[in-house]
Amino acid sequence: MSHTINHLRKLRLQRSELAVPGSNPEMIEKAANSEADYIFLDIEDAVAPPDKERARANIVQALNQIDWRGRGKTISVRINGLDTHYMYRDVVDLMEQAGDRIDTLLVPKVGVPADLYMVEAMVNQIEIARGFKTRVGLEALIETALGMANVEAIAAFGGRLEAMHFGVADYAASLKARTVNIGGLNPDYPGDQWHFGLSRMTVACRAYGLRAIDGPFGDFSDPDGYKDAARRAAALGIEGKWAIHLSQIALANDIFSPPEKEVDRARRIIDALKVAESQGKGAASLDGKMIDAASERMARNVLATHDAITAGR
């Protein structure tokens, strides 16, 4: 291992992340009662420009009136982009009126590290001015060609940054990619055309101690398509996926939870290697397969996820 190791900056259970437009109070209430691990209330793409101010006020009200943490939810807000005149008011109103009730702010269309610096500077000042004892984290939405080209530098930003998300819809638009539906596969492409972007973002996340999250799958009438996309993401090391419909929450929770058989094997790997170590061996055999220190690291990843799920129940 390199002498430089960036440990996970913040552990949060994020198998399913429900996207909820702030312009719809009824949906906000349903989200609070859902089985989603994580919820982001949206003021950005899901809200039309004439409804931005009302949506922002709805979100402030919901943050203050609903005990999200008491219901086992991590609560986030997706603010508007830095290229809009809505963003500064989003940060000011949210932080001044409900800053101690927010877990993270999701920053859309992050293109360069300085985008996060601007939001962080505002959050820092408001937390100090208000005397908040809590600390709001930041999450970066990678959904443009510029963001992907700079994804390693963005991941290395540090500060409050906890996670990065892959925003497939705007990413496809930024690349001028031909796609049939949000997050779906183009039958003309031999495989998954999103694989490169997801993989590159995930590598950057793991290198700098961030959580890696996959974005939306637009066709909520196609559960099999959603599950296939989630499985491909999980295979790359992604730890959760957005849900744009209540029906997608259980699918994400299931796929990003290690099966009991996998958990049992992880425990047996660790036990077998302890025995091998006591015998002066660096490797061992389990179920006819060689295991070593790398196997133990993979096993501990499985158990960490399992423990987080168990703690959240």
Side-chain angles (χ1 to χ4, degrees), residues 217-226 244-245 247-248:
F217 184 85
D219 187 356
F220 54 81
S221 67
D222 180 12
D224 290 336
Y226 181 94
I244 62 165
H245 190 272
S247 64
Q248 294 178 335

Side-chain angles (χ1 to χ4, degrees), residues 17-282:
E17 178 151 0
L18 183 62
V20 184
S23 53
N24 192 325
E26 183 179 345
M27 288 185 67
I28 293 175
E29 185 62 37
K30 287 182 178 178
N33 294 317
S34 73
E35 293 299 316
D37 295 332
Y38 220 97
I39 292 164
F40 80 79
L41 306 178
D42 195 13
I43 328 177
E44 200 222 9
D45 280 358
V47 178
D51 297 329
K52 298 283 190 185
E53 292 187 12
R54 181 68 258 169
R56 188 188 301 129
N58 290 343
I59 289 172
V60 168
Q61 182 178 36
L63 289 168
N64 286 310
Q65 292 185 354
I66 298 174
D67 183 7
W68 299 93
R69 293 165 183 157
R71 299 189 191 196
K73 309 299 181 196
T74 300
I75 187 69
S76 180
V77 181
R78 178 165 69 168
I79 61 174
N80 283 284
L82 274 69
D83 59 332
T84 74
H85 65 279
Y86 304 110
M87 182 282 266
Y88 85 96
R89 182 51 60 189
D90 290 343
V91 176
V92 171
D93 285 3
L94 288 166
M95 289 300 303
E96 287 192 342
Q97 298 176 41
D100 57 345
R101 312 275 294 181
I102 301 169
D103 292 311
T104 69
L105 293 179
L106 178 58
V107 185
K109 301 176 180 64
V110 175
V112 295
D115 295 341
L116 293 173
Y117 182 88
M118 180 176 182
V119 178
E120 175 137 349
M122 295 176 69
V123 171
N124 284 344
Q125 292 182 36
I126 297 171
E127 280 188 349
I128 293 170
R130 292 293 181 180
F132 292 144
K133 303 301 181 185
T134 53
R135 178 180 168 88
V136 172
L138 296 182
E139 300 180 71
L141 191 44
I142 305 300
E143 51 184 340
T144 64
L146 180 63
M148 191 60 70
N150 292 314
V151 70
E152 290 84 8
I154 293 167
F157 170 74
R160 297 169 180 264
L161 185 62
E162 298 182 5
M164 294 199 295
H165 300 234
F166 181 64
V168 65
D170 278 299
Y171 184 69
S174 179
L175 294 185
K176 298 184 179 180
R178 293 183 176 181
T179 181
V180 290
N181 66 285
I182 296 173
L185 301 182
N186 187 323
D188 293 330
Y189 188 88
D192 183 346
Q193 71 265 42
W194 314 123
H195 178 107
F196 168 76
L198 271 171
S199 183
R200 183 175 179 183
M201 185 196 78
T202 303
V203 170
C205 284
R206 299 312 178 202
Y208 292 99
L210 307 176
R211 302 186 305 277
I213 307 299
D214 192 15
F217 184 85
D219 187 356
F220 54 81
S221 67
D222 180 12
D224 290 336
Y226 181 94
K227 288 189 287 185
D228 287 343
R231 290 190 187 103
R232 290 192 298 272
L236 294 173
I238 297 280
E239 58 196 86
K241 184 168 178 60
W242 290 13
I244 62 165
H245 190 272
L246 293 169
S247 64
Q248 294 178 335
I249 295 172
L251 305 179
N253 285 346
D254 178 58
I255 289 167
F256 291 100
S257 298
E260 193 57 43
K261 184 183 295 185
E262 193 173 319
V263 173
D264 178 67
R265 177 171 172 77
R267 292 187 177 121
R268 292 195 297 123
I269 286 172
I270 291 171
D271 291 342
L273 287 171
K274 284 181 180 177
V275 172
E277 183 180 3
S278 70
Q279 298 171 348
K281 300 175 182 177

Side-chain angles (χ1 to χ4, degrees), residues 284-307:
S285 176
L286 182 67
D287 300 332
K289 299 177 181 178
M290 189 273 286
I291 57 173
D292 59 10
S295 306
E296 180 177 357
R297 286 190 286 272
M298 290 186 286
R300 292 197 182 279
N301 287 339
V302 170
L303 294 179
T305 301
H306 175 74
D307 291 346

